[in-house]
Amino acid sequence: KLELESGETLRADRLCLAMNACDSSRLLSATAPDLSRELSGIRYDSIASVNLAYKPEDVPGRTPGFGFFVPASGEAYPFSSLKWIGKTGDGKNILLRAFISKTLLPEVFHQSDEMLLREIQNFLRKFFNIYALPKFSSVERYPNALPQYETGHLERVARIEEKTNGYPGLYLTGNGFRGFGITDCIRNAQSAADRILRSFQGPRS
């Protein structure tokens, strides 16, 4: 039985929480406290994404490959990773995206959107000689979006799966368990859907 904020009540034979583990933990804190505690142990990082589009003629020379990560030590950079997306399908724009981790770069993450754009553009001028203004720019922030797989993560996931089995009809999926990439999340969702289908018996299958 699901009680919504609107006061509406929904009933279901099966419930799949397809969300961040920390959100599942909050929803299950009263009804499944043991499972909620294990889920709460998966730590999440907040991410800011700076998105830029340039005309190809404004990007001198060859762009780097797929992207690169910046180590925590050494010279400070205004991002945690920089990804060159490449040209759009019509070839009229070159796209890139810089990610800023709240955990790794809290002093940068908490700056205004305008300051983040300025710092990334300053970096591009210094390292890639891109002096033109971007055709398009935006900043998107994703609170508690990226799970941090710490030592012992797979053992924790095994405990979560074991405890979930103690609540018949409950299923979990999302980026907190076995991979946080898009393809990982699709594969995990398909696996959860298969388990739900198998749980039904008789003609309802």
Side-chain angles (χ1 to χ4, degrees):
K1 184 176 70 174
L2 308 179
E3 297 178 355
L4 309 183
E5 289 182 345
S6 63
E8 181 183 2
T9 298
L10 303 177
R11 293 183 179 274
D13 296 314
R14 305 291 187 272
L15 172 65
C16 181
L17 299 181
M19 58 183 63
N20 290 349
C22 53
D23 294 327
S24 295
S25 173
R26 286 192 290 271
L27 288 178
L28 296 171
S29 59
T31 54
D34 55 338
L35 177 57
S36 175
R37 282 192 294 272
E38 288 289 356
L39 289 167
S40 68
I42 300 178
R43 186 172 59 84
Y44 276 77
D45 189 13
S46 297
I47 300 295
S49 172
V50 178
N51 311 291
L52 300 167
Y54 288 94
K55 294 186 292 186
E57 58 266 28
D58 290 334
V59 181
R62 294 181 58 187
T63 59
F66 185 70
F68 60 88
F69 289 95
V70 175
S73 60
E75 184 178 355
Y77 289 84
F79 54 82
S80 307
S81 67
L82 179 66
K83 181 184 295 185
W84 290 84
I85 310 300
K87 289 186 178 181
T88 54
D90 56 13
K92 295 181 178 180
N93 300 287
I94 291 179
L95 307 177
L96 66 90
R97 181 174 296 132
F99 295 98
I100 298 139
S101 159
K102 180 180 178 181
T103 299
L104 294 178
L105 298 171
E107 70 286 353
V108 179
F109 179 88
H110 289 294
Q111 292 178 0
S112 67
D113 291 356
E114 293 76 13
M115 184 61 71
L116 292 183
L117 287 168
R118 190 177 305 128
E119 290 207 19
I120 297 300
Q121 291 178 64
N122 288 339
F123 169 84
L124 294 174
R125 278 193 291 270
K126 180 179 179 181
F127 285 87
F128 295 107
N129 297 317
I130 301 176
Y131 292 94
L133 293 176
K135 290 178 60 179
F136 167 83
S137 63
S138 70
V139 177
E140 299 171 352
R141 297 177 186 267
Y142 303 95
N144 297 322
L146 188 63
Q148 306 298 295
Y149 293 167
E150 299 173 331
T151 302
H153 175 76
L154 290 180
E155 290 79 4
R156 182 184 299 279
V157 170
R159 293 194 300 271
I160 288 172
E161 292 173 343
E162 180 181 2
K163 292 182 183 300
T164 303
N165 290 335
Y167 296 91
L170 177 64
Y171 299 84
L172 302 174
T173 189
N175 64 3
F177 307 115
R178 298 184 183 277
F180 52 76
I182 293 176
T183 53
D184 297 317
C185 291
I186 292 173
R187 183 182 67 252
N188 293 333
Q190 289 174 335
S191 174
D194 289 340
R195 295 197 305 274
I196 293 171
L197 288 174
R198 288 197 302 267
S199 71
F200 288 102
Q201 302 294 327
R204 296 182 66 181
S205 299

